Amino acid sequence: MIPDLTVKGGLIVGPEGRHRADLAVADGRVVAVGDLPADGKVIEASGLLVLPGMVDTHVHLMDPGPTEREDFPTGTRAAAARGVTTIIEHTHTHPVRSPGDLAEKRSHLEGRSNVDFGLAAHLWPEDIPGMTALWEAGVSFFKMFTCTTHGVPGLDAASVDAALKKLAEFGGRALVHCEDESLTATAEKTLKGQGRMDPALLTEWRSREAELVAIATVSVLAATSGASVTLAHVSNPVAVEIVSMARRQGADVAAEACPQYFALGEEEVVEHGPLRKFTPPARIRSDEERDRMWAALRGGAYSHIATDHAPSTLEQKSKGDIWSAPFGLPGLDTTLPYFLDAALAGKMELEDVVRLYSATPAQRYGLSPTKGALQIGSDADFVLIDPEGRWEVRDEDILSKAGWSPYSGRVFQGSIEATYLRGQAIAANGRASDQRTGRFLAGLGSRD
Ligand SMILES: [Zn+2]
């Protein structure tokens, strides 16, 4: 097959290593890797890194839903500009709970995405009997909460047990938000009773203990049921240790890492209030704790990276008080730049970035090797990076509707020069080309 496109002379980075090679693309797929003739359109990539496109499996784009916070065009523009070519999306206020909901959301999103996307379901306790049908309709995973959050009812231990047993029957996937309901509810009552309105209440309301208790419970039930479970946004080294322990007992549990638990400390929650309101909150209190987080990330205790992109504008964040301010941070604009910078500064390897933010999440949700890899037959989703470049984060350059970032003012080493989706350029120099060619990717259980 004659290639449409050849990427010449770049340094291709995979999860296991890097090598200088050319990449040939035809019909949107990788058709050859090696020392190749300059066929078709030639992209000169000497001096650049070539990474497979990032696969972000925890994203909220509010579309349909509260699109005044974000929508698919703005959110996926941010993704494309910063190297993310595949997302798995779910929106709490407009949940997918049935095959009909999924069909409706798919048709609403036709022509609204700049990157390829899967869609996840939310699980209400009473919907457990319908899980098989939803899985076969093509959802990527089931989102579950152990505490009532963002309007989604929490599942108690018995309901988590029932849901995971059901999930194990058909080999499904789950993403579980872990905070213990009785501990957060009691803390909320106490803090409100004391009339507390200061930002520090966030760390007491959404305490470490509440997260640890729920992580331990869900890990045990994952082990006994045999279900495949990702624990969302694991925020601290002790929690990671509990997940590792469950894995040593044979549980198929994965700890998800988000940049905010590495980049932001507990003192920032106190200092910035609503602009650092997300849950679980940033926990890190010392360099020693931060070092343990990086060691867990490098050493495989964390399975993969995701943003938990859940943006609000500065105005939306600042309205009302600390109790009523919306949870969440924008993340799609900054997550690859943040971890690239970390890799180029020696905190991790570039291979770790590819493993954690591309290869492993693609594998976990059944998208590999079409996504998360640059081997023959893979989709030609790739990112060109200049390791000598630098990017200063500024609010005015944030493409998410949020229009701000907790990292504004920071300078990241490495600049994302261009992003390609199935062989087509979808972004260059921090700008998305807005062709909205993103396609729906059905989940592992799809009968389509
Ligand atoms: Zn989330």
Side-chain angles (χ1 to χ4, degrees):
M1 190 181 286
I2 309 283
D4 317 317
L5 183 79
T6 307
V7 183
K8 291 289 288 178
L11 186 66
I12 299 177
V13 184
E16 310 286 352
R18 55 187 90 179
H19 61 291
R20 197 161 302 286
D22 310 322
L23 195 70
V25 176
D27 282 341
R29 296 197 170 195
V30 176
V31 292
V33 183
D35 192 2
L36 305 173
D39 283 328
K41 188 178 175 216
V42 174
I43 299 167
E44 184 46 61
S46 321
L48 301 181
L49 309 171
V50 184
L51 270 56
M54 301 301 126
V55 177
D56 198 318
T57 53
H58 188 163
V59 170
H60 309 288
L61 298 185
M62 326 293 177
D63 187 3
T67 49
E68 66 282 3
R69 290 177 62 185
E70 187 72 290
D71 59 29
F72 252 77
T74 52
T76 60
R77 217 176 265 157
R82 302 301 169 194
V84 176
T85 50
T86 300
I87 58 167
I88 298 178
E89 198 275 346
H90 63 289
T91 292
H92 308 314
T93 50
H94 203 97
V96 169
R97 292 178 60 183
S98 69
D101 293 344
L102 179 67
E104 207 173 285
K105 183 157 179 166
R106 271 184 70 174
S107 91
H108 171 80
L109 293 175
E110 203 93 12
R112 287 182 70 72
S113 187
N114 290 27
V115 301
D116 286 355
F117 63 97
L119 297 171
H122 283 78
L123 191 68
W124 262 245
E126 64 267 32
D127 294 343
I128 293 171
M131 287 172 73
T132 313
L134 199 43
W135 182 247
E136 290 175 355
V139 297
S140 302
F141 60 75
F142 293 87
K143 179 65 174 285
M144 307 178 192
F145 285 86
T146 58
C147 53
T148 300
T149 319
H150 318 306
V152 184
L155 305 176
D156 62 12
S159 295
V160 171
D161 186 45
L164 295 186
K165 281 179 175 149
K166 188 88 190 161
L167 194 74
E169 278 173 19
F170 55 78
R173 297 286 182 272
L175 177 67
V176 188
H177 177 123
C178 293
E179 290 180 287
D180 181 78
E181 173 98 341
S182 63
L183 288 171
T184 54
T186 303
E188 179 174 351
K189 216 169 145 197
T190 305
L191 291 159
K192 284 186 169 163
Q194 293 166 346
R196 290 275 300 274
M197 298 294 278
D198 58 294
L201 70 83
L202 290 171
T203 62
E204 296 172 50
W205 174 23
R206 322 300 306 202
S207 66
R208 281 189 185 223
E209 301 77 70
E211 184 183 1
L212 295 175
V213 167
I215 282 192
T217 302
V218 174
S219 294
V220 167
L221 298 175
T224 53
S225 64
S228 178
V229 178
T230 300
L231 302 156
H233 37 56
V234 176
S235 76
N236 67 86
V238 180
V240 179
E241 198 37 54
I242 295 175
V243 182
S244 298
M245 201 163 68
R247 212 165 31 241
R248 287 195 295 273
Q249 309 293 322
D252 182 5
V253 282
E256 178 189 81
C258 305
Q260 50 271 33
Y261 302 108
F262 295 78
L264 307 175
E266 195 179 67
E267 77 288 349
E268 289 207 34
V269 178
V270 177
E271 190 183 334
H272 297 278
L275 296 183
R276 299 294 182 276
K277 184 182 175 186
F278 49 94
T279 198
R283 306 264 193 223
I284 301 306
R285 292 179 186 147
S286 65
D287 288 343
E288 188 266 324
E289 270 190 339
R290 190 168 269 123
D291 291 346
R292 284 169 67 196
M293 293 287 281
W294 284 108
L297 196 64
R298 284 190 302 269
Y302 275 110
S303 156
H304 57 277
I305 289 170
T307 51
D308 194 10
H309 179 86
S312 298
T313 64
L314 283 175
E315 200 190 351
Q316 289 154 357
K317 273 285 199 188
S318 322
K319 221 155 80 187
D321 58 35
I322 193 71
W323 289 105
S324 64
F327 283 109
L329 290 180
L332 283 169
D333 287 271
T334 49
T335 296
L336 178 58
Y338 174 77
F339 285 108
L340 267 181
D341 175 77
L344 294 167
K347 286 199 184 80
M348 65 201 295
E349 298 295 332
L350 287 164
E351 286 82 355
D352 292 327
V353 178
V354 174
R355 171 175 59 85
L356 289 158
Y357 200 23
S358 182
T360 304
Q363 282 157 12
R364 188 143 190 97
Y365 295 105
L367 300 170
S368 179
T370 306
K371 303 297 187 185
L374 286 175
Q375 61 195 56
I376 292 170
S378 296
D379 279 0
D381 299 352
F382 58 91
V383 193
L384 302 179
I385 292 155
D386 178 2
E388 306 294 329
R390 288 157 84 80
W391 180 48
E392 182 181 351
V393 185
R394 300 182 307 170
D395 283 356
E396 56 266 43
D397 297 329
I398 297 297
L399 299 180
S400 159
K401 209 174 268 191
W404 68 283
S405 166
Y407 313 115
S408 280
R410 295 195 195 196
V411 178
F412 292 137
Q413 183 68 37
S415 71
I416 295 167
E417 301 292 304
T419 307
Y420 286 74
L421 176 68
R422 286 180 268 101
Q424 302 291 318
I426 56 167
N429 304 313
R431 286 204 188 83
S433 59
D434 244 2
Q435 298 170 46
R436 308 230 184 116
T437 49
R439 290 181 190 160
F440 174 71
L441 303 168
L444 270 170
S446 171
R447 285 273 168 98
D448 282 358

